[in-house]
Amino acid sequence: MIRLNVNGKPRDIDVAKDTPLLWTLRDVLNMTGTKFGCGQGLCGACTVQIDGQATRSCITPVSAAVGKKIATIEAIGRTPAGRRIEAAWLALDVPQCGYCQSGQIMSATALLATKPNPSDSDIDDAMAGNICRCGTYPRIRAGIKKAASATTTADVSEPSNRTEA
Ligand code: FES
Ligand code: FES
């Protein structure tokens, strides 16, 4: 039996220690907000946070997350940075098909939690591993900047002109 801390709650699971965290979340805990893309750490669709660090759950064995705090898209809106990012995403209508967006949000939130006013190069570094086949990169960047400039969710909740991808 393995005990994980997922979104602040203890979860006891019976899986092999080398089971990828992604499959543990999706297939054992039925938390399907975290997506499978490449399965090789290359696309970022599976990004979660472990102790605040954006982490590719497809290549992370569940044993590596024991004793650490796992945060997923299902609960990221409870954090101050997550609230601002989610509000900015809605205000700017960031997603297109949406498949990559939980991973994008997890990386963006990890960035804002450590760098509240990230530079363009900070954003480039933090988001480089998150691929979007729909090309929403300009709106993702605008969303991060909007969230960074906001001090409250209300500051980012007003719809504004959409930045075309
Ligand atoms: S599914 Fe994990 S990085 Fe692509
Ligand atoms: S919104 Fe479609 S892959 Fe990113």
Side-chain angles (χ1 to χ4, degrees):
M1 191 67 74
I2 291 175
R3 171 163 288 197
L4 298 178
N5 180 322
V6 183
N7 297 330
K9 292 183 181 169
R11 305 296 299 264
D12 292 321
I13 51 171
D14 187 12
V15 297
K17 289 182 180 177
D18 60 352
T19 305
L21 178 59
L22 174 62
W23 300 122
T24 304
L25 293 169
R26 289 184 57 87
D27 292 351
V28 181
L29 297 176
N30 295 316
M31 300 173 70
T32 55
T34 305
K35 303 302 184 192
F36 171 78
C38 65
Q40 299 178 30
L42 300 172
C43 76
C46 66
T47 304
V48 299
Q49 292 172 13
I50 298 180
D51 284 348
Q53 298 288 318
T55 303
R56 308 296 183 237
S57 64
C58 69
I59 54 169
T60 302
V62 69
S63 57
V66 173
K68 299 178 180 174
K69 293 179 180 174
I70 303 164
T72 72
I73 190 68
E74 283 86 355
I76 200 63
R78 295 181 202 153
T79 68
R83 271 194 294 280
R84 294 203 304 277
I85 286 287
E86 287 188 346
W89 253 234
L90 286 170
L92 295 178
D93 202 9
V94 170
Q96 189 163 316
C97 81
Y99 196 83
C100 73
Q101 295 293 328
S102 57
Q104 305 282 0
I105 287 171
M106 296 308 289
S107 290
T109 304
L111 169 64
L112 277 197
T114 55
K115 292 189 176 174
N117 292 296
S119 65
D120 279 343
S121 68
D122 291 333
I123 295 172
D124 290 343
D125 289 346
M127 305 304 294
N130 286 85
I131 307 301
C132 176
R133 292 181 63 173
C134 299
T136 64
Y137 301 112
R139 295 200 296 275
I140 289 170
R141 181 180 298 276
I144 292 170
K145 290 189 171 184
K146 191 172 186 65
S149 67
T151 53
T152 68
T153 302
D155 293 333
V156 293
S157 60
E158 292 297 321
S160 60
N161 292 337
R162 176 171 169 148
T163 305
E164 290 306 320

